[in-house]
Amino acid sequence: MTLQEKEQEIIDEFAIYDDWMDKYEYIIELGKELPLIDDSLKTDNRLIEGCQSRVWLNTDFDGENMQFSADSDAIITKGIIALLVRVFNNESPKNIASSSLRFIEEIGLHEHLSPTRSNGLASMIRTMKMEALKKV
Amino acid sequence: MNETIAKLDVAQIRLEFPTLHQEVYGKPLIYFDNGATAQKPKSVIDAISKYYSKDNANIHRGVHHLSQIATEQYEEARKIIQKSINAPASEQVLFTKGTTDGINLVAFSFGQLLKEGDEIIISEMEHHSNIVPWQMLCERQGCTLKVIPINEKGELKMDVFESFLSNKTKLVAVTHISNTLGTINPIKSIVDKAHAVGAKVLIDGAQSIQHAKVDVQDLDCDFFVFSGHKVFGPTGVGVLYGKKEVLDEMPPYQGGGDMIAKVTFEKTTYNELPHKFEAGTPNIAGGICLATAFEYLNSIDMDAIHAHEQDLLTYAESELKQIDGVRLIGTADNKTSVVSFIVEGTHPFDVGTLLDKQGIAVRTGHHCTQPLMDIFKIPGTVRASFAFYNTKEEIDVFITALKRSVNMLL
């Protein structure tokens, strides 16, 4: 499945929800399911400090594809991270760096990425792309 | 319901506030973020429109008709605000950009009169804007900052405050009401004790003037600062009140137009109060329309407002206490209509996000009081702050929405 197909899959999954609370119920479930980042990896150099919630991001590269694992102290932030990890994992650095992440806008979560929300997500995506760029 | 509360016709008042009548995410908006900024009555919105439609001109300069009208309105606004806070003279009412600007003005200007070894006292419950300017001043002038601790209810430890006071104390800068905890501080007692050692007192009134009648002469404070937008006025304008003898002694803060008497390259002399501290073209519409906000507020019985808001506070707190895992942050005996809380096992950001999707606007996070969060050992709180246009019915909707949010998160 390509990165774009994974995005489309998420957009389709969210299409069944017309109520905001149902949508968030699903995001919260995703957040609860997200494998926790190992505590030993929750170091300051992996921490992305937001004004409201905090995000830890760990990056791996096997020479071909990127692997991300992440965690947050806020469950909704974590749920959105789960979606980002799903889209970016096992993708080449080039694909990640050039991705527009249109699914976020399409499913109505762009508000969480504005710098003013300060939940660390905007910085996290920037960091993910920067890490990918380093490998291109 | 007592007789005073009955006088406040909340339904009628709500009609004056257009922003309250809208839906967000398909739900009727419930606005509980009044501590961050208050909504504006129609009279203020209309006044802004009228100023820019009819009266716009630069002030204190032009000989032409519009300039004179704008100048008159601006200076009349100063007088309305002077009367509203019972300042002795309008020249003691300085227009600023807001509370932060007012505190910085004092920190830079009054701060120049301080020297190494002088002490400034603040408290643990201060907003960052009443912490950082003093830290910067201490770095510049070699002064020492002392911080009054609070007890577990969120009240100042007055005995420690008294122990801090000495002839080294030059300024006490404390908040009238805590934006995070709602605590109403014993300002008159603080002023009396500070004055007894010759210290000046600055009161951060950002959270107080919309909830209670402020009489700066009765408080006897040396400085009182507040923001226009929290008292139902426009953003970008605020007031610094100061005692005349203190303001006279202080050097100008910013240089520019309007603040000078005569400029030569050899020496410039400064204008008199209030213009000495108002360099450049001010927020003219802001000042004029802030006075409109005061006229609106003055038309409502402040005691009735207070009684209604206390009623909302008591009701919200008693309802919140019935929810498992809710911990109220800030339980002072003397509190204004602010409820800060956390729900065990949930993050304030998550609770705030889910409340938002149900149409309820609250503030989450550290509320620009990070040291206070460290003291309570929490990452932040959810804060509902009520204004006189809020209702018990809104609190009922909020409580139901909160229960639903917590169920989803746990």
Side-chain angles (χ1 to χ4, degrees), chain B residues 195-241:
Chain B
H195 282 174
V197 297
K200 306 297 183 207
V201 182
L202 177 141
I203 305 300
D204 173 354
Q207 298 291 337
S208 69
I209 197 159
Q210 61 277 49
H211 296 297
K213 188 79 193 160
V214 166
D215 180 331
V216 291
Q217 293 190 71
D218 181 50
L219 290 175
D220 197 28
C221 53
D222 301 277
F223 304 104
F224 189 94
V225 288
F226 62 91
S227 299
H229 70 97
K230 291 189 206 280
V231 287
F232 315 101
T235 52
V237 70
V239 164
L240 161 63
Y241 156 81

Side-chain angles (χ1 to χ4, degrees), chain A residues 95-112:
Chain A
N95 277 352
I96 292 168
S98 62
S99 140
S100 66
L101 286 178
R102 74 178 178 102
F103 84 94
I104 293 167
E105 177 97 30
E106 294 265 342
I107 64 178
L109 296 180
H110 50 283
E111 63 171 91
H112 289 288

Side-chain angles (χ1 to χ4, degrees), chain B residues 257-291:
Chain B
D258 229 21
M259 55 76 72
I260 48 92
K262 184 172 172 57
V263 177
T264 66
F265 286 113
E266 289 70 41
K267 179 162 177 63
T268 291
T269 54
Y270 304 122
N271 205 336
E272 297 186 331
L273 289 174
H275 312 295
K276 181 171 96 174
F277 291 107
E278 294 181 355
T281 297
N283 184 345
I284 305 168
I288 292 170
C289 301
L290 175 55

Side-chain angles (χ1 to χ4, degrees), chain A residues 21 32 52 75-77 111, chain B residues 25 347 350 358 364 410:
Chain A
M21 290 301 274
K32 286 177 180 170
Q52 300 253 357
I75 196 90
I76 291 172
T77 307
E111 63 171 91
Chain B
Y25 305 106
H347 193 285
D350 291 327
Q358 296 170 87
T364 63
L410 291 179

Side-chain angles (χ1 to χ4, degrees), chain B residues 283-324:
Chain B
N283 184 345
I284 305 168
I288 292 170
C289 301
L290 175 55
T292 313
F294 270 100
E295 284 177 320
Y296 174 78
L297 207 52
N298 293 342
S299 74
I300 305 171
D301 178 4
M302 208 25 125
D303 290 336
I305 288 177
H306 180 72
H308 176 65
E309 290 180 346
Q310 286 296 310
D311 214 23
L312 294 175
L313 173 67
T314 310
Y315 186 63
E317 286 191 338
S318 75
E319 291 293 307
L320 279 170
K321 281 179 192 161
Q322 289 172 38
I323 301 175
D324 280 346

Side-chain angles (χ1 to χ4, degrees), chain A residues 19-22 24-26 28-29 32 51-54 73-78 108 111-112 117-119 121, chain B residues 25 27 347-358 363-366 370 379 401 404-405 407-410:
Chain A
D19 183 272
W20 277 98
M21 290 301 274
D22 294 340
Y24 273 86
E25 185 115 54
Y26 181 53
I28 289 165
E29 289 314 312
K32 286 177 180 170
C51 199
Q52 300 253 357
S53 59
R54 306 196 294 170
D73 51 358
I75 196 90
I76 291 172
T77 307
K78 231 167 118 177
E111 63 171 91
H112 289 288
R117 285 302 277 211
S118 308
N119 51 16
L121 277 173
Chain B
Y25 305 106
K27 306 279 180 352
H347 193 285
F349 171 77
D350 291 327
V351 175
T353 302
L354 294 179
L355 287 173
D356 172 50
K357 297 298 169 289
Q358 296 170 87
R363 175 86 183 261
T364 63
H366 53 62
Q370 280 178 347
R404 185 177 175 194
S405 309
N407 279 339
M408 280 168 71
L409 291 168
L410 291 179

